[in-house]
Amino acid sequence: LKYEPFGLKTYWHYHPEVEFIFFEAGTVDGVIGNGFHEFRPGDVVLLGANLPHVLQENLSFKTLYPNDLPLGLIVQFVEDFLGEAFFKKAEFTAIGHLLQRAKRGLRFRIESLPDIHADLYNIPNLSDLIRVLTLLKILNELALCTDYEYLTPAGYHF
């Protein structure tokens, strides 16, 4: 878990962890799979395991606000961090399906997720157990939300 200015000097990469990103302040450019995107405050992004990506400086934002750094929350986790069959249990299948959809990358808007707004700001200050429970709550809200967009086209494979 990182809640800090984004590291915008990273390279194109992928990793086995699912990545959850909440863009709180500033504008960031990103390449997700084969798509180019601009991420703004209030964007919530879920990237599936091994989905190639990179976040980069947005030149317009940097020009207008040279002293401001884009800031947000990044949480990485492996899909089976609670056990191999956890997201296959009836109570958690919606999250399992969300993680499958995230293989193409998903973008949500915070306005569509009023029940998790405070959680996104509080999660860095929580104890480990409450942090995991809060992450499950956030993932459940994302799973139930129908207002989202894919960041890569159908059939995208890396």
Side-chain angles (χ1 to χ4, degrees):
L1 176 124
K2 294 191 287 185
Y3 191 74
E4 58 191 30
F6 292 112
L8 301 177
K9 303 291 184 202
T10 60
Y11 296 98
W12 174 253
H13 66 284
Y14 61 94
H15 41 74
E17 297 86 9
V18 174
E19 187 162 305
F20 172 88
I21 309 169
F22 169 53
F23 295 87
E24 182 183 341
T27 303
V28 174
D29 290 335
V31 181
I32 310 298
N34 63 353
F36 294 88
H37 305 277
E38 183 177 271
F39 299 108
R40 300 182 164 276
D43 282 341
V44 175
V45 171
L46 190 65
L47 305 177
N50 297 311
L51 179 61
H53 61 281
V54 66
L55 297 179
Q56 301 173 324
E57 232 173 38
N58 177 283
L59 295 179
S60 297
F61 177 80
K62 185 70 172 169
T63 301
L64 289 171
Y65 307 100
N67 298 319
D68 293 348
L69 296 173
L71 170 75
L73 171 73
I74 296 178
V75 178
Q76 293 181 339
F77 60 92
V78 292
E79 286 185 34
D80 62 354
F81 78 105
L82 293 169
E84 192 174 312
F86 188 82
F87 292 120
K88 294 176 182 164
K89 295 183 189 303
E91 300 86 354
F92 300 104
T93 55
I95 296 174
H97 294 303
L98 171 73
L99 296 176
Q100 288 300 308
R101 291 193 322 263
K103 290 180 179 185
R104 290 179 51 199
L106 301 169
R107 179 193 338 224
F108 302 84
R109 289 291 304 161
I110 192 70
E111 295 85 19
S112 302
L113 304 161
D115 292 339
I116 66 167
H117 193 263
D119 293 330
L120 292 171
Y121 291 100
N122 292 332
I123 200 168
N125 305 315
L126 302 174
S127 69
D128 290 343
L129 173 63
I130 303 304
R131 188 178 289 161
V132 169
L133 295 173
T134 302
L135 177 61
L136 287 174
K137 177 185 173 195
I138 290 169
L139 292 174
N140 189 62
E141 291 297 322
L142 294 178
L144 299 175
C145 182
T146 57
D147 186 15
Y148 65 89
E149 67 176 295
Y150 285 105
L151 298 175
T152 60
Y156 172 79
H157 296 288
F158 172 69

